[in-house]
Amino acid sequence: MLRGVLGKTFRLVGYTVQYGCIAHCAFEYVGGVVMCSGPSMEPTIQNSDIVFAENLTRHFYGIQRGDIVIAKSPSDPKSNICKRVIGLEGDKILSNSPSDFFKSHSYVPTGHVWLEGDNLQNSTDSRYYGPVPYGLIRGRIFFKIWPLSDFGFLRDSPNGHRFSDD
Amino acid sequence: MAHSQGWVKRYLKAFCKGFFVAVPVAVTFLDRVACVARVEGASMQPSLNPGGSQSSDVVLLNHWKVRNFEVQRGDIVSLVSPKNPEQKIIKRVIALEGDIVKTIGHKNRYVKVPRGHIWVEGDHHGHSFDSNSFGPARSTTVTHVLQKSNHTEVGCLQALTQGS
């Protein structure tokens, strides 16, 4: 009787470990479903939207300007942030908010990216904590699953004038 | 004939079953718990690679101890290089956020380490690409710890004042 129960418990633990490891490998190396919270990416991504993120682009260093990425938060190491890549290394960035009188430019250092939310008024991003090291990027969001009214690939940035291409 | 075919089929089934258990478990272990790597370069001499190019040290990289990014002064850690995300560098943590560091060869003589950052240096000063070149590093880029500090070494470090 006891042997039966023990056997069942071991089998359950074994399956949990196995499926947990498969889930880890899938999320780490392929991609997964993510729920976003917060208003900083409106109108592209609203609060409590469910999106699909892939991690292959990050491993092959193919992140480009205009991609929406998930990264480890520079201010709180246990949480993730979801922002758009405005500049890659070497790009010239307008590093002040639109309300400042003098426009100031700065260059994104090597190995870093400049992230901004689409909702510029309500987003703590690189304008607050500076350029983010590329190594903190976890994955790229490219497809929205929920709400169904907004199902499909994500739109381009509504703030096109932030890109400075020279 | 039927008997040997059944044997092959059972063998393949067992192989696939084992494969799909062993590979994810091994990959998860290497990512989340610990892995082994070879150290290259002379920036941590004499602690690591004292033999130079003759013999590279092989070290155990422990991820589990830094899964919450809690490092102490004196730990030897591996972090993603701030200049080249494809590379990992192994350095010693000299100072934590809030500390003031006396630098060697940096543009400012004294630097206060900002919040969420750490100051790392190689033991072989002058032959090391570390915070003296690229400034404070974000503590969330730390991936593994090699060796926890024993606190007798802290006295030799260059942290002048300790915040909080």
Side-chain angles (χ1 to χ4, degrees), chain B residues 11-33:
Chain B
Y11 177 82
L12 281 174
K13 221 167 149 181
F15 180 83
C16 286
K17 229 169 138 183
F19 185 83
F20 283 107
V21 170
V23 168
V25 171
V27 169
T28 308
F29 184 86
L30 293 175
D31 279 347
R32 296 229 170 210
V33 180

mmCIF file with all atom_site columns, all heavy atoms in Angstrom, chain B residues 11-33:
data_model
loop_
_atom_site.group_PDB
_atom_site.id
_atom_site.type_symbol
_atom_site.label_atom_id
_atom_site.label_alt_id
_atom_site.label_comp_id
_atom_site.label_asym_id
_atom_site.label_entity_id
_atom_site.label_seq_id
_atom_site.pdbx_PDB_ins_code
_atom_site.Cartn_x
_atom_site.Cartn_y
_atom_site.Cartn_z
_atom_site.occupancy
_atom_site.B_iso_or_equiv
_atom_site.pdbx_formal_charge
_atom_site.auth_seq_id
_atom_site.auth_comp_id
_atom_site.auth_asym_id
_atom_site.auth_atom_id
_atom_site.pdbx_PDB_model_num
ATOM 1   N N   . TYR B 1 11 ? 13.483 -0.293 -28.974 1.00 0.00 ? 11 TYR B N   1
ATOM 2   C CA  . TYR B 1 11 ? 14.725 0.441  -28.711 1.00 0.00 ? 11 TYR B CA  1
ATOM 3   C C   . TYR B 1 11 ? 14.562 1.922  -29.069 1.00 0.00 ? 11 TYR B C   1
ATOM 4   O O   . TYR B 1 11 ? 14.936 2.806  -28.311 1.00 0.00 ? 11 TYR B O   1
ATOM 5   C CB  . TYR B 1 11 ? 15.871 -0.173 -29.507 1.00 0.00 ? 11 TYR B CB  1
ATOM 6   C CG  . TYR B 1 11 ? 17.164 0.584  -29.348 1.00 0.00 ? 11 TYR B CG  1
ATOM 7   C CD1 . TYR B 1 11 ? 17.978 0.383  -28.241 1.00 0.00 ? 11 TYR B CD1 1
ATOM 8   C CD2 . TYR B 1 11 ? 17.564 1.515  -30.307 1.00 0.00 ? 11 TYR B CD2 1
ATOM 9   C CE1 . TYR B 1 11 ? 19.148 1.089  -28.080 1.00 0.00 ? 11 TYR B CE1 1
ATOM 10  C CE2 . TYR B 1 11 ? 18.740 2.222  -30.161 1.00 0.00 ? 11 TYR B CE2 1
ATOM 11  C CZ  . TYR B 1 11 ? 19.535 1.996  -29.038 1.00 0.00 ? 11 TYR B CZ  1
ATOM 12  O OH  . TYR B 1 11 ? 20.697 2.703  -28.891 1.00 0.00 ? 11 TYR B OH  1
ATOM 13  N N   . LEU B 1 12 ? 13.964 2.181  -30.248 1.00 0.00 ? 12 LEU B N   1
ATOM 14  C CA  . LEU B 1 12 ? 13.785 3.577  -30.672 1.00 0.00 ? 12 LEU B CA  1
ATOM 15  C C   . LEU B 1 12 ? 12.863 4.327  -29.727 1.00 0.00 ? 12 LEU B C   1
ATOM 16  O O   . LEU B 1 12 ? 13.107 5.482  -29.385 1.00 0.00 ? 12 LEU B O   1
ATOM 17  C CB  . LEU B 1 12 ? 13.191 3.624  -32.093 1.00 0.00 ? 12 LEU B CB  1
ATOM 18  C CG  . LEU B 1 12 ? 14.183 3.373  -33.227 1.00 0.00 ? 12 LEU B CG  1
ATOM 19  C CD1 . LEU B 1 12 ? 13.440 3.291  -34.548 1.00 0.00 ? 12 LEU B CD1 1
ATOM 20  C CD2 . LEU B 1 12 ? 15.220 4.459  -33.292 1.00 0.00 ? 12 LEU B CD2 1
ATOM 21  N N   . LYS B 1 13 ? 11.816 3.625  -29.291 1.00 0.00 ? 13 LYS B N   1
ATOM 22  C CA  . LYS B 1 13 ? 10.868 4.253  -28.382 1.00 0.00 ? 13 LYS B CA  1
ATOM 23  C C   . LYS B 1 13 ? 11.566 4.634  -27.071 1.00 0.00 ? 13 LYS B C   1
ATOM 24  O O   . LYS B 1 13 ? 11.386 5.732  -26.545 1.00 0.00 ? 13 LYS B O   1
ATOM 25  C CB  . LYS B 1 13 ? 9.729  3.272  -28.088 1.00 0.00 ? 13 LYS B CB  1
ATOM 26  C CG  . LYS B 1 13 ? 8.354  3.894  -28.050 1.00 0.00 ? 13 LYS B CG  1
ATOM 27  C CD  . LYS B 1 13 ? 7.302  2.811  -28.067 1.00 0.00 ? 13 LYS B CD  1
ATOM 28  C CE  . LYS B 1 13 ? 6.088  3.284  -27.303 1.00 0.00 ? 13 LYS B CE  1
ATOM 29  N NZ  . LYS B 1 13 ? 5.048  2.264  -27.256 1.00 0.00 ? 13 LYS B NZ  1
ATOM 30  N N   . ALA B 1 14 ? 12.388 3.718  -26.572 1.00 0.00 ? 14 ALA B N   1
ATOM 31  C CA  . ALA B 1 14 ? 13.097 3.989  -25.316 1.00 0.00 ? 14 ALA B CA  1
ATOM 32  C C   . ALA B 1 14 ? 14.086 5.123  -25.506 1.00 0.00 ? 14 ALA B C   1
ATOM 33  O O   . ALA B 1 14 ? 14.261 5.978  -24.630 1.00 0.00 ? 14 ALA B O   1
ATOM 34  C CB  . ALA B 1 14 ? 13.812 2.723  -24.832 1.00 0.00 ? 14 ALA B CB  1
ATOM 35  N N   . PHE B 1 15 ? 14.746 5.158  -26.666 1.00 0.00 ? 15 PHE B N   1
ATOM 36  C CA  . PHE B 1 15 ? 15.725 6.216  -26.935 1.00 0.00 ? 15 PHE B CA  1
ATOM 37  C C   . PHE B 1 15 ? 15.054 7.589  -26.953 1.00 0.00 ? 15 PHE B C   1
ATOM 38  O O   . PHE B 1 15 ? 15.527 8.542  -26.336 1.00 0.00 ? 15 PHE B O   1
ATOM 39  C CB  . PHE B 1 15 ? 16.413 5.950  -28.276 1.00 0.00 ? 15 PHE B CB  1
ATOM 40  C CG  . PHE B 1 15 ? 17.436 6.997  -28.625 1.00 0.00 ? 15 PHE B CG  1
ATOM 41  C CD1 . PHE B 1 15 ? 18.723 6.913  -28.112 1.00 0.00 ? 15 PHE B CD1 1
ATOM 42  C CD2 . PHE B 1 15 ? 17.116 8.058  -29.451 1.00 0.00 ? 15 PHE B CD2 1
ATOM 43  C CE1 . PHE B 1 15 ? 19.665 7.872  -28.422 1.00 0.00 ? 15 PHE B CE1 1
ATOM 44  C CE2 . PHE B 1 15 ? 18.057 9.031  -29.763 1.00 0.00 ? 15 PHE B CE2 1
ATOM 45  C CZ  . PHE B 1 15 ? 19.339 8.930  -29.247 1.00 0.00 ? 15 PHE B CZ  1
ATOM 46  N N   . CYS B 1 16 ? 13.918 7.687  -27.678 1.00 0.00 ? 16 CYS B N   1
ATOM 47  C CA  . CYS B 1 16 ? 13.223 8.982  -27.755 1.00 0.00 ? 16 CYS B CA  1
ATOM 48  C C   . CYS B 1 16 ? 12.744 9.426  -26.388 1.00 0.00 ? 16 CYS B C   1
ATOM 49  O O   . CYS B 1 16 ? 12.871 10.586 -26.014 1.00 0.00 ? 16 CYS B O   1
ATOM 50  C CB  . CYS B 1 16 ? 12.034 8.906  -28.711 1.00 0.00 ? 16 CYS B CB  1
ATOM 51  S SG  . CYS B 1 16 ? 12.539 8.864  -30.422 1.00 0.00 ? 16 CYS B SG  1
ATOM 52  N N   . LYS B 1 17 ? 12.206 8.472  -25.639 1.00 0.00 ? 17 LYS B N   1
ATOM 53  C CA  . LYS B 1 17 ? 11.704 8.807  -24.308 1.00 0.00 ? 17 LYS B CA  1
ATOM 54  C C   . LYS B 1 17 ? 12.846 9.342  -23.442 1.00 0.00 ? 17 LYS B C   1
ATOM 55  O O   . LYS B 1 17 ? 12.719 10.346 -22.764 1.00 0.00 ? 17 LYS B O   1
ATOM 56  C CB  . LYS B 1 17 ? 11.122 7.545  -23.661 1.00 0.00 ? 17 LYS B CB  1
ATOM 57  C CG  . LYS B 1 17 ? 9.753  7.719  -23.064 1.00 0.00 ? 17 LYS B CG  1
ATOM 58  C CD  . LYS B 1 17 ? 9.162  6.387  -22.710 1.00 0.00 ? 17 LYS B CD  1
ATOM 59  C CE  . LYS B 1 17 ? 8.481  6.502  -21.369 1.00 0.00 ? 17 LYS B CE  1
ATOM 60  N NZ  . LYS B 1 17 ? 7.945  5.224  -20.915 1.00 0.00 ? 17 LYS B NZ  1
ATOM 61  N N   . GLY B 1 18 ? 13.993 8.656  -23.488 1.00 0.00 ? 18 GLY B N   1
ATOM 62  C CA  . GLY B 1 18 ? 15.134 9.084  -22.691 1.00 0.00 ? 18 GLY B CA  1
ATOM 63  C C   . GLY B 1 18 ? 15.655 10.426 -23.162 1.00 0.00 ? 18 GLY B C   1
ATOM 64  O O   . GLY B 1 18 ? 15.993 11.300 -22.366 1.00 0.00 ? 18 GLY B O   1
ATOM 65  N N   . PHE B 1 19 ? 15.687 10.600 -24.483 1.00 0.00 ? 19 PHE B N   1
ATOM 66  C CA  . PHE B 1 19 ? 16.196 11.842 -25.058 1.00 0.00 ? 19 PHE B CA  1
ATOM 67  C C   . PHE B 1 19 ? 15.370 13.036 -24.593 1.00 0.00 ? 19 PHE B C   1
ATOM 68  O O   . PHE B 1 19 ? 15.912 14.060 -24.177 1.00 0.00 ? 19 PHE B O   1
ATOM 69  C CB  . PHE B 1 19 ? 16.149 11.702 -26.581 1.00 0.00 ? 19 PHE B CB  1
ATOM 70  C CG  . PHE B 1 19 ? 16.753 12.860 -27.328 1.00 0.00 ? 19 PHE B CG  1
ATOM 71  C CD1 . PHE B 1 19 ? 18.124 12.919 -27.525 1.00 0.00 ? 19 PHE B CD1 1
ATOM 72  C CD2 . PHE B 1 19 ? 15.961 13.868 -27.827 1.00 0.00 ? 19 PHE B CD2 1
ATOM 73  C CE1 . PHE B 1 19 ? 18.677 13.977 -28.228 1.00 0.00 ? 19 PHE B CE1 1
ATOM 74  C CE2 . PHE B 1 19 ? 16.522 14.929 -28.526 1.00 0.00 ? 19 PHE B CE2 1
ATOM 75  C CZ  . PHE B 1 19 ? 17.880 14.977 -28.725 1.00 0.00 ? 19 PHE B CZ  1
ATOM 76  N N   . PHE B 1 20 ? 14.037 12.890 -24.663 1.00 0.00 ? 20 PHE B N   1
ATOM 77  C CA  . PHE B 1 20 ? 13.199 14.024 -24.298 1.00 0.00 ? 20 PHE B CA  1
ATOM 78  C C   . PHE B 1 20 ? 13.128 14.268 -22.805 1.00 0.00 ? 20 PHE B C   1
ATOM 79  O O   . PHE B 1 20 ? 12.601 15.277 -22.369 1.00 0.00 ? 20 PHE B O   1
ATOM 80  C CB  . PHE B 1 20 ? 11.800 13.894 -24.906 1.00 0.00 ? 20 PHE B CB  1
ATOM 81  C CG  . PHE B 1 20 ? 11.785 14.247 -26.357 1.00 0.00 ? 20 PHE B CG  1
ATOM 82  C CD1 . PHE B 1 20 ? 11.655 13.271 -27.319 1.00 0.00 ? 20 PHE B CD1 1
ATOM 83  C CD2 . PHE B 1 20 ? 11.961 15.556 -26.758 1.00 0.00 ? 20 PHE B CD2 1
ATOM 84  C CE1 . PHE B 1 20 ? 11.673 13.603 -28.664 1.00 0.00 ? 20 PHE B CE1 1
ATOM 85  C CE2 . PHE B 1 20 ? 11.986 15.891 -28.091 1.00 0.00 ? 20 PHE B CE2 1
ATOM 86  C CZ  . PHE B 1 20 ? 11.852 14.915 -29.052 1.00 0.00 ? 20 PHE B CZ  1
ATOM 87  N N   . VAL B 1 21 ? 13.633 13.349 -22.028 1.00 0.00 ? 21 VAL B N   1
ATOM 88  C CA  . VAL B 1 21 ? 13.777 13.624 -20.597 1.00 0.00 ? 21 VAL B CA  1
ATOM 89  C C   . VAL B 1 21 ? 15.150 14.218 -20.324 1.00 0.00 ? 21 VAL B C   1
ATOM 90  O O   . VAL B 1 21 ? 15.291 15.241 -19.664 1.00 0.00 ? 21 VAL B O   1
ATOM 91  C CB  . VAL B 1 21 ? 13.597 12.325 -19.775 1.00 0.00 ? 21 VAL B CB  1
ATOM 92  C CG1 . VAL B 1 21 ? 13.985 12.570 -18.328 1.00 0.00 ? 21 VAL B CG1 1
ATOM 93  C CG2 . VAL B 1 21 ? 12.179 11.844 -19.866 1.00 0.00 ? 21 VAL B CG2 1
ATOM 94  N N   . ALA B 1 22 ? 16.180 13.592 -20.871 1.00 0.00 ? 22 ALA B N   1
ATOM 95  C CA  . ALA B 1 22 ? 17.540 13.978 -20.490 1.00 0.00 ? 22 ALA B CA  1
ATOM 96  C C   . ALA B 1 22 ? 17.921 15.354 -21.005 1.00 0.00 ? 22 ALA B C   1
ATOM 97  O O   . ALA B 1 22 ? 18.509 16.149 -20.270 1.00 0.00 ? 22 ALA B O   1
ATOM 98  C CB  . ALA B 1 22 ? 18.526 12.935 -21.013 1.00 0.00 ? 22 ALA B CB  1
ATOM 99  N N   . VAL B 1 23 ? 17.589 15.664 -22.265 1.00 0.00 ? 23 VAL B N   1
ATOM 100 C CA  . VAL B 1 23 ? 18.065 16.932 -22.826 1.00 0.00 ? 23 VAL B CA  1
ATOM 101 C C   . VAL B 1 23 ? 17.447 18.146 -22.124 1.00 0.00 ? 23 VAL B C   1
ATOM 102 O O   . VAL B 1 23 ? 18.186 19.033 -21.684 1.00 0.00 ? 23 VAL B O   1
ATOM 103 C CB  . VAL B 1 23 ? 17.839 16.973 -24.357 1.00 0.00 ? 23 VAL B CB  1
ATOM 104 C CG1 . VAL B 1 23 ? 18.046 18.381 -24.899 1.00 0.00 ? 23 VAL B CG1 1
ATOM 105 C CG2 . VAL B 1 23 ? 18.779 16.002 -25.043 1.00 0.00 ? 23 VAL B CG2 1
ATOM 106 N N   . PRO B 1 24 ? 16.121 18.235 -21.959 1.00 0.00 ? 24 PRO B N   1
ATOM 107 C CA  . PRO B 1 24 ? 15.605 19.421 -21.270 1.00 0.00 ? 24 PRO B CA  1
ATOM 108 C C   . PRO B 1 24 ? 16.090 19.537 -19.831 1.00 0.00 ? 24 PRO B C   1
ATOM 109 O O   . PRO B 1 24 ? 16.396 20.638 -19.365 1.00 0.00 ? 24 PRO B O   1
ATOM 110 C CB  . PRO B 1 24 ? 14.081 19.229 -21.293 1.00 0.00 ? 24 PRO B CB  1
ATOM 111 C CG  . PRO B 1 24 ? 13.832 18.288 -22.389 1.00 0.00 ? 24 PRO B CG  1
ATOM 112 C CD  . PRO B 1 24 ? 15.020 17.396 -22.452 1.00 0.00 ? 24 PRO B CD  1
ATOM 113 N N   . VAL B 1 25 ? 16.188 18.400 -19.134 1.00 0.00 ? 25 VAL B N   1
ATOM 114 C CA  . VAL B 1 25 ? 16.639 18.471 -17.739 1.00 0.00 ? 25 VAL B CA  1
ATOM 115 C C   . VAL B 1 25 ? 18.077 18.951 -17.681 1.00 0.00 ? 25 VAL B C   1
ATOM 116 O O   . VAL B 1 25 ? 18.439 19.805 -16.871 1.00 0.00 ? 25 VAL B O   1
ATOM 117 C CB  . VAL B 1 25 ? 16.479 17.099 -17.050 1.00 0.00 ? 25 VAL B CB  1
ATOM 118 C CG1 . VAL B 1 25 ? 17.144 17.107 -15.692 1.00 0.00 ? 25 VAL B CG1 1
ATOM 119 C CG2 . VAL B 1 25 ? 15.019 16.740 -16.901 1.00 0.00 ? 25 VAL B CG2 1
ATOM 120 N N   . ALA B 1 26 ? 18.922 18.446 -18.574 1.00 0.00 ? 26 ALA B N   1
ATOM 121 C CA  . ALA B 1 26 ? 20.325 18.862 -18.568 1.00 0.00 ? 26 ALA B CA  1
ATOM 122 C C   . ALA B 1 26 ? 20.462 20.329 -18.932 1.00 0.00 ? 26 ALA B C   1
ATOM 123 O O   . ALA B 1 26 ? 21.212 21.076 -18.287 1.00 0.00 ? 26 ALA B O   1
ATOM 124 C CB  . ALA B 1 26 ? 21.125 18.002 -19.560 1.00 0.00 ? 26 ALA B CB  1
ATOM 125 N N   . VAL B 1 27 ? 19.719 20.778 -19.952 1.00 0.00 ? 27 VAL B N   1
ATOM 126 C CA  . VAL B 1 27 ? 19.816 22.171 -20.374 1.00 0.00 ? 27 VAL B CA  1
ATOM 127 C C   . VAL B 1 27 ? 19.325 23.093 -19.253 1.00 0.00 ? 27 VAL B C   1
ATOM 128 O O   . VAL B 1 27 ? 19.944 24.120 -18.959 1.00 0.00 ? 27 VAL B O   1
ATOM 129 C CB  . VAL B 1 27 ? 19.011 22.407 -21.669 1.00 0.00 ? 27 VAL B CB  1
ATOM 130 C CG1 . VAL B 1 27 ? 18.875 23.877 -21.959 1.00 0.00 ? 27 VAL B CG1 1
ATOM 131 C CG2 . VAL B 1 27 ? 19.677 21.698 -22.834 1.00 0.00 ? 27 VAL B CG2 1
ATOM 132 N N   . THR B 1 28 ? 18.212 22.720 -18.604 1.00 0.00 ? 28 THR B N   1
ATOM 133 C CA  . THR B 1 28 ? 17.697 23.542 -17.508 1.00 0.00 ? 28 THR B CA  1
ATOM 134 C C   . THR B 1 28 ? 18.702 23.596 -16.367 1.00 0.00 ? 28 THR B C   1
ATOM 135 O O   . THR B 1 28 ? 18.907 24.658 -15.765 1.00 0.00 ? 28 THR B O   1
ATOM 136 C CB  . THR B 1 28 ? 16.363 22.980 -17.000 1.00 0.00 ? 28 THR B CB  1
ATOM 137 O OG1 . THR B 1 28 ? 15.500 22.812 -18.110 1.00 0.00 ? 28 THR B OG1 1
ATOM 138 C CG2 . THR B 1 28 ? 15.720 23.901 -15.993 1.00 0.00 ? 28 THR B CG2 1
ATOM 139 N N   . PHE B 1 29 ? 19.333 22.463 -16.062 1.00 0.00 ? 29 PHE B N   1
ATOM 140 C CA  . PHE B 1 29 ? 20.325 22.456 -14.990 1.00 0.00 ? 29 PHE B CA  1
ATOM 141 C C   . PHE B 1 29 ? 21.489 23.381 -15.330 1.00 0.00 ? 29 PHE B C   1
ATOM 142 O O   . PHE B 1 29 ? 21.929 24.177 -14.513 1.00 0.00 ? 29 PHE B O   1
ATOM 143 C CB  . PHE B 1 29 ? 20.828 21.029 -14.775 1.00 0.00 ? 29 PHE B CB  1
ATOM 144 C CG  . PHE B 1 29 ? 21.772 20.914 -13.623 1.00 0.00 ? 29 PHE B CG  1
ATOM 145 C CD1 . PHE B 1 29 ? 21.295 20.724 -12.339 1.00 0.00 ? 29 PHE B CD1 1
ATOM 146 C CD2 . PHE B 1 29 ? 23.142 21.012 -13.806 1.00 0.00 ? 29 PHE B CD2 1
ATOM 147 C CE1 . PHE B 1 29 ? 22.159 20.636 -11.269 1.00 0.00 ? 29 PHE B CE1 1
ATOM 148 C CE2 . PHE B 1 29 ? 24.013 20.920 -12.743 1.00 0.00 ? 29 PHE B CE2 1
ATOM 149 C CZ  . PHE B 1 29 ? 23.528 20.732 -11.473 1.00 0.00 ? 29 PHE B CZ  1
ATOM 150 N N   . LEU B 1 30 ? 21.998 23.301 -16.565 1.00 0.00 ? 30 LEU B N   1
ATOM 151 C CA  . LEU B 1 30 ? 23.143 24.119 -16.935 1.00 0.00 ? 30 LEU B CA  1
ATOM 152 C C   . LEU B 1 30 ? 22.784 25.599 -16.963 1.00 0.00 ? 30 LEU B C   1
ATOM 153 O O   . LEU B 1 30 ? 23.608 26.451 -16.691 1.00 0.00 ? 30 LEU B O   1
ATOM 154 C CB  . LEU B 1 30 ? 23.671 23.694 -18.307 1.00 0.00 ? 30 LEU B CB  1
ATOM 155 C CG  . LEU B 1 30 ? 24.295 22.312 -18.364 1.00 0.00 ? 30 LEU B CG  1
ATOM 156 C CD1 . LEU B 1 30 ? 24.667 21.963 -19.795 1.00 0.00 ? 30 LEU B CD1 1
ATOM 157 C CD2 . LEU B 1 30 ? 25.514 22.224 -17.486 1.00 0.00 ? 30 LEU B CD2 1
ATOM 158 N N   . ASP B 1 31 ? 21.531 25.922 -17.299 1.00 0.00 ? 31 ASP B N   1
ATOM 159 C CA  . ASP B 1 31 ? 21.143 27.326 -17.333 1.00 0.00 ? 31 ASP B CA  1
ATOM 160 C C   . ASP B 1 31 ? 20.883 27.882 -15.948 1.00 0.00 ? 31 ASP B C   1
ATOM 161 O O   . ASP B 1 31 ? 21.199 29.024 -15.676 1.00 0.00 ? 31 ASP B O   1
ATOM 162 C CB  . ASP B 1 31 ? 19.842 27.499 -18.131 1.00 0.00 ? 31 ASP B CB  1
ATOM 163 C CG  . ASP B 1 31 ? 20.087 27.511 -19.618 1.00 0.00 ? 31 ASP B CG  1
ATOM 164 O OD1 . ASP B 1 31 ? 21.263 27.638 -20.010 1.00 0.00 ? 31 ASP B OD1 1
ATOM 165 O OD2 . ASP B 1 31 ? 19.115 27.411 -20.363 1.00 0.00 ? 31 ASP B OD2 1
ATOM 166 N N   . ARG B 1 32 ? 20.216 27.089 -15.097 1.00 0.00 ? 32 ARG B N   1
ATOM 167 C CA  . ARG B 1 32 ? 19.702 27.654 -13.861 1.00 0.00 ? 32 ARG B CA  1
ATOM 168 C C   . ARG B 1 32 ? 20.537 27.337 -12.641 1.00 0.00 ? 32 ARG B C   1
ATOM 169 O O   . ARG B 1 32 ? 20.424 28.032 -11.640 1.00 0.00 ? 32 ARG B O   1
ATOM 170 C CB  . ARG B 1 32 ? 18.292 27.127 -13.597 1.00 0.00 ? 32 ARG B CB  1
ATOM 171 C CG  . ARG B 1 32 ? 17.321 27.551 -14.636 1.00 0.00 ? 32 ARG B CG  1
ATOM 172 C CD  . ARG B 1 32 ? 16.087 28.129 -14.008 1.00 0.00 ? 32 ARG B CD  1
ATOM 173 N NE  . ARG B 1 32 ? 15.293 28.735 -15.045 1.00 0.00 ? 32 ARG B NE  1
ATOM 174 C CZ  . ARG B 1 32 ? 14.514 29.745 -14.884 1.00 0.00 ? 32 ARG B CZ  1
ATOM 175 N NH1 . ARG B 1 32 ? 14.397 30.273 -13.709 1.00 0.00 ? 32 ARG B NH1 1
ATOM 176 N NH2 . ARG B 1 32 ? 13.839 30.237 -15.874 1.00 0.00 ? 32 ARG B NH2 1
ATOM 177 N N   . VAL B 1 33 ? 21.319 26.260 -12.664 1.00 0.00 ? 33 VAL B N   1
ATOM 178 C CA  . VAL B 1 33 ? 22.027 25.861 -11.445 1.00 0.00 ? 33 VAL B CA  1
ATOM 179 C C   . VAL B 1 33 ? 23.513 26.164 -11.593 1.00 0.00 ? 33 VAL B C   1
ATOM 180 O O   . VAL B 1 33 ? 24.023 27.089 -10.992 1.00 0.00 ? 33 VAL B O   1
ATOM 181 C CB  . VAL B 1 33 ? 21.790 24.373 -11.131 1.00 0.00 ? 33 VAL B CB  1
ATOM 182 C CG1 . VAL B 1 33 ? 22.520 23.987 -9.870  1.00 0.00 ? 33 VAL B CG1 1
ATOM 183 C CG2 . VAL B 1 33 ? 20.304 24.107 -10.972 1.00 0.00 ? 33 VAL B CG2 1
#
